[in-house]
Amino acid sequence: MKTLINGLHHVTAFASSAQKNVDFYVGVLGLRLVKKTINFDAPEVYHLYYGDEIGHAGTIMTFFPYKGMVRGRKGAHQLTYTSFSIPENALDFWMNRLNRFHITFEKPASRFDETYIQFEDPDGTGIELVATKNDTRPGWSNGSIPLDKSIRGFHTVTLHENQADKTVELLTETMQHQLVVQEGNRIRLEAGKGGSGNLVDILFSPTDLKGLQGAGTVHHVAFSTDNEATQLEIREKLLLANIHPTTVQDRNYFRSIYFREPGGVLFEVATNVPGFAVDEDVTALGQHLKLPEWYEPRRSEIEKHLDPIEIKAYS
């Protein structure tokens, strides 16, 4: 069977401060700011992308930082935790680092034979670091975090649902995922070659309160597809499954389609091409505000609405 869905592409969430967001994801977690652009649907707001050196699919966490946005509430019908993969021997390093920055985290726990720690960013976005031994991705080091301790990219994401059956059906019958394991009320599925970056966890609890969108909550999760041709093929499969994706949207660094899964989480399918180096050199990624060509005539107006961002000498 032809592979149309490779695994995860990116996760996009809301924040309340661009600078605090950068300070956490670059300064604390050591990710690279690979693109500083705008929300194409709300150009007065940044769209910040963090990932590995060039922003490979499966490493990219992105944010819409609406200044002063009220905090949301994690709950059912949301993606509640984004899990990053770290080397198996790096857990102590990360606990010490979080302590150094006065970031509260839950004590190490286990599931599916993995050990992880759970915490939140300054807005309450749910983050996990999962110690894994089979993730061969190189990660990224900005000099403040040793490469052999650095984040590799995504491990999995948690979809929090009141019911799981229809979501599992969509992922397995239409989006090329396979059920890997179930432990209590958590189901794990994988796509493509499997492993870190290609996993989705579904946590189902019939009585949990519905989440409310705001700072600290996830807007959508994107799945990776190779190119525009494979994107159109998966779009056709979605239509045949009575799912109604949008038309293809040009996001400059990838092409996107969007749709709601049965539990209400917003899904996206994003192409791996053309990538983040399409409008700036790899060595300069994230250093300048990049606008799509259709917004360039409005650059002066747009920049007036955006607070300056400083990439500090983090340690």
Side-chain angles (χ1 to χ4, degrees), residues 1 5 19 22-23 34 37 58 79 94-95 118 129 166 194 205 221 227 238 258 271 279 282 286:
M1 181 176 64
I5 298 291
Q19 185 63 59
V22 169
D23 289 343
V34 294
T37 184
L79 190 165
W94 280 102
M95 289 190 290
Q118 188 179 88
L129 297 181
K166 292 297 184 180
S205 180
V221 56
N227 51 49
L238 290 164
Y258 302 87
T271 62
D279 60 358
V282 169

Side-chain angles (χ1 to χ4, degrees), residues 163-189:
Q163 296 183 350
D165 291 352
K166 292 297 184 180
T167 301
V168 170
E169 181 180 322
L170 170 65
L171 286 167
T172 56
E173 295 188 9
T174 304
M175 297 184 66
Q176 297 187 322
H177 284 67
Q178 295 182 346
L179 198 154
V180 180
V181 64
Q182 180 170 350
E183 187 177 276
N185 63 336
R186 181 180 290 264
I187 299 171
R188 173 160 291 179
L189 304 100

Side-chain angles (χ1 to χ4, degrees), residues 20-77:
K20 287 183 179 179
N21 193 251
V22 169
D23 289 343
F24 183 82
Y25 286 92
V26 176
V28 177
L29 295 190
L31 302 178
R32 187 180 189 188
L33 179 63
V34 294
K35 193 62 58 180
K36 180 169 62 173
T37 184
I38 55 169
N39 181 339
F40 288 7
D41 300 317
E44 71 281 0
V45 177
Y46 279 119
H47 194 173
L48 304 177
Y49 292 78
Y50 308 94
D52 66 3
E53 182 178 10
I54 65 171
H56 284 105
T59 74
I60 311 160
M61 188 82 178
T62 97
F63 286 88
F64 300 136
Y66 284 81
K67 187 176 180 179
M69 189 180 203
V70 174
R71 182 174 289 206
R73 180 182 70 207
K74 291 193 292 292
H77 314 297

Side-chain angles (χ1 to χ4, degrees), residues 85-237:
S85 166
I86 59 172
E88 188 177 29
N89 66 350
L91 205 57
D92 284 343
F93 169 87
W94 280 102
M95 289 190 290
N96 290 334
R97 185 168 181 83
L98 294 174
N99 278 327
R100 178 183 168 196
F101 286 96
H102 307 291
I103 296 168
T104 301
F105 57 90
E106 300 294 327
K107 66 180 181 179
S110 296
R111 62 169 177 250
F112 301 142
D113 298 321
E114 300 164 346
T115 303
Y116 68 97
I117 53 174
Q118 188 179 88
F119 53 98
E120 295 180 340
D121 78 3
D123 286 303
T125 307
I127 302 292
E128 293 176 340
L129 297 181
V130 182
T132 58
K133 61 183 178 180
N134 298 318
D135 191 347
T136 60
R137 293 175 293 179
W140 159 255
S141 175
N142 62 2
S144 64
I145 295 173
L147 187 59
D148 65 348
K149 300 292 191 292
S150 66
I151 287 172
R152 279 17 193 170
F154 292 142
H155 183 64
T156 186
V157 295
T158 298
L159 307 181
H160 194 137
E161 307 277 10
N162 286 144
Q163 296 183 350
D165 291 352
K166 292 297 184 180
T167 301
V168 170
E169 181 180 322
L170 170 65
L171 286 167
T172 56
E173 295 188 9
T174 304
M175 297 184 66
Q176 297 187 322
H177 284 67
Q178 295 182 346
L179 198 154
V180 180
V181 64
Q182 180 170 350
E183 187 177 276
N185 63 336
R186 181 180 290 264
I187 299 171
R188 173 160 291 179
L189 304 100
E190 67 179 7
K193 63 182 181 181
S196 295
N198 305 305
L199 304 173
V200 174
D201 288 2
I202 299 176
L203 181 69
F204 61 97
S205 180
T207 60
D208 283 357
L209 197 62
K210 182 178 180 180
L212 294 176
Q213 197 168 82
T217 65
V218 168
H219 182 266
H220 66 267
V221 56
F223 295 85
S224 157
T225 193
D226 286 341
N227 51 49
E228 292 177 66
T230 56
Q231 184 179 66
L232 290 176
E233 288 187 55
I234 191 66
R235 186 177 187 275
E236 185 63 27
K237 285 175 64 72

